[in-house]
Amino acid sequence: MDISRFKGCILATAIGDSLGAPREGSLEISENRDLGPRYTDDTAMMIGVAESLIHCGGFNGHDMVERFIHNHLKEPWRGYGWGPPRIFNMILNQGRRWDEMLDRGLYPGGSYGNGAAMRIAPIGLFYYDEPDTLREVVHRASIITHSHELAIEGAFLQAYAVSIALTTRAHDLNREGFLMRLKAVTNNQDYLKKLSTIEGLLNQDVSKRDVIRYLGNGIEALNSVPIAIYSFLANYDLEGALVYAVSLGGDADTIGAMTGAIAGAYYGMDAIPLRWTEALENRQYIQGLAERLWRCKEGVNVKD
């Protein structure tokens, strides 16, 4: 597998996050082409996922949550949501297990936010050629903080979209086929409806306000994963996809991060504008992390 696509996915996740962060919560539809000075918890947790996969040579829930906790304690100002820090406290100070679905003590039925989907890109890369294992690992990685069916299914669709983009030949993207592959693995009727809506929107000239009305732009996985997929499919280059995604406002940093993950996996690192790469906070470490993840996946010697 092309290392450029691994780098593109990881870097564009952080860039989409940084691009959208200044617009998070905005109700105004407007373009933004300048990166914010800092990435958010979206990228910080994505980094933790990648670090753990590299260190363990695959998924290990205990190690992954330890990295989440370490990175949060080191940089608590990244903009973490209300739930994850409380879950980290339960694990760190109460001796609770990472797989106890601890979010159900905070939210009835568990959290259905997009916190699992926003960080899942490295898993989509690492298990791109193992679809059955991918679903299982996404489930286990998600329930650390998000155990609601909608959160888990959203994270899986995001990871699977990354894997499809990664394995699709350059300049050979069939948008209808992309959606058909996602629909074929979707177990949830609400997501199936959203994917069908995407198909309809791609076949007509539609305003951004209508896209938001039909797909959403909020913090719920159901209202952000589909619009990230749409932002990728509705545009024809990486820059256009990311600018479009964050222009929709709402949870712009996470929608930007998820769009960036898919677009980066398809277009590769060379498609990222140099001004964005150079402006990205912690760029060298993030780029090196993507290379180490690729080496780990491809069986090339890698040091943690």
Side-chain angles (χ1 to χ4, degrees), residues 68-91:
F68 287 163
I69 292 170
H70 172 79
N71 292 345
H72 171 253
L73 291 176
K74 183 174 65 174
E75 298 174 335
W77 41 265
R78 287 287 180 191
Y80 287 81
W82 183 82
R86 284 161 176 78
I87 291 170
F88 300 158
N89 180 67
M90 292 180 204
I91 294 169

Side-chain angles (χ1 to χ4, degrees), residues 162-179:
V162 166
S163 72
I164 297 173
L166 182 72
T167 54
T168 300
R169 290 187 304 173
H171 313 298
D172 195 27
L173 179 62
N174 181 318
R175 285 160 172 78
E176 183 177 316
F178 193 99
L179 286 170

Side-chain angles (χ1 to χ4, degrees), residues 29 44 54 62 90 93 115-116 173 195 212:
I29 297 175
I54 293 164
H62 179 74
M90 292 180 204
N93 297 320
L173 179 62
L195 293 172
I212 294 168

Side-chain angles (χ1 to χ4, degrees), residues 165-243:
L166 182 72
T167 54
T168 300
R169 290 187 304 173
H171 313 298
D172 195 27
L173 179 62
N174 181 318
R175 285 160 172 78
E176 183 177 316
F178 193 99
L179 286 170
M180 285 180 64
R181 291 182 65 182
L182 287 175
K183 285 169 135 182
V185 299
T186 303
N187 292 333
N188 180 277
Q189 290 299 315
D190 292 322
Y191 279 104
L192 278 173
K193 290 177 184 176
K194 285 288 181 84
L195 293 172
S196 294
T197 300
I198 291 172
E199 190 172 11
L201 293 173
L202 289 173
N203 292 322
Q204 57 183 300
D205 184 16
V206 61
S207 71
K208 290 180 180 178
R209 292 193 185 281
D210 281 341
V211 170
I212 294 168
R213 181 159 64 94
Y214 290 120
L215 298 179
N217 65 352
I219 62 172
E220 306 86 359
L222 184 62
N223 290 324
S224 51
V225 171
I227 206 166
I229 293 169
Y230 175 81
S231 296
F232 165 65
L233 293 175
N235 293 276
Y236 292 86
D237 59 60
L238 183 143
E239 181 175 3
L242 265 65
V243 171

